[in-house]
Amino acid sequence: MTYVVTDACIRCKYMDCVEVCPVDCFYEGENMLMIHPDECIDCGVCEPECPAEAIKPDIAGDMESWVELNRVYAQKWPNITRKKPAPADADEWKGKPNKYPEHFSEKPGAK
Ligand code: SF4
Ligand code: F3S
């Protein structure tokens, strides 16, 4: 089992999650984070910390594609362990459905 970051993170990227992860398994893209499924220890601590409710356990249902996406990009993007400022327009994107098709960026987060 693992927890995964899902659609709701895109363009919100609040990063409260990275501060609480005991094994530092978050990875940063340009406009969202991913969890490395093989590093996550399923503690569940990050789930309630996300203001966008973007973090889900893989047993939540229909999570297979998100687990795969988290696995792929966690291996491409840099590790992130400290919270940075969220995007200025993060609140405007909070709660918007289906952001992945139009707004997901494959680019890594800025160092
Ligand atoms: Fe880290 Fe625990 Fe969240 Fe997994 S469930 S990403 S180990 S805080
Ligand atoms: Fe994304 Fe929520 Fe973390 S919006 S960056 S999963 S706190």
Side-chain angles (χ1 to χ4, degrees):
M1 200 192 129
T2 181
Y3 281 72
V4 288
V5 183
T6 64
D7 196 270
C9 179
I10 296 169
R11 300 196 76 156
C12 286
K13 201 183 171 186
Y14 289 110
M15 290 172 278
D16 298 72
C17 53
V18 303
E19 291 280 332
V20 299
C21 181
V23 294
D24 294 340
C25 63
F26 281 92
Y27 293 81
E28 185 189 8
E30 183 181 37
N31 65 17
M32 80 175 288
L33 302 192
M34 300 284 188
I35 291 170
H36 195 310
D38 297 337
E39 296 174 359
C40 172
I41 59 169
D42 308 329
C43 69
V45 171
C46 57
E47 184 183 12
E49 295 297 321
C50 175
E53 298 183 11
I55 301 175
K56 307 284 181 202
D58 64 354
I59 52 168
D62 294 330
M63 286 291 134
E64 290 83 3
S65 59
W66 285 109
V67 174
E68 189 51 33
L69 215 63
N70 275 244
R71 183 183 302 283
V72 168
Y73 287 97
Q75 293 175 75
K76 292 186 177 181
W77 293 347
N79 188 237
I80 175 170
T81 59
R82 302 306 299 265
K83 181 176 159 82
K84 302 173 189 174
D89 60 352
D91 289 348
E92 291 168 36
W93 289 94
K94 191 172 162 187
K96 292 226 167 121
N98 239 353
K99 292 181 274 186
Y100 178 73
E102 287 182 28
H103 301 291
F104 173 68
S105 168
E106 296 188 338
K107 292 183 193 155
K111 288 268 181 184

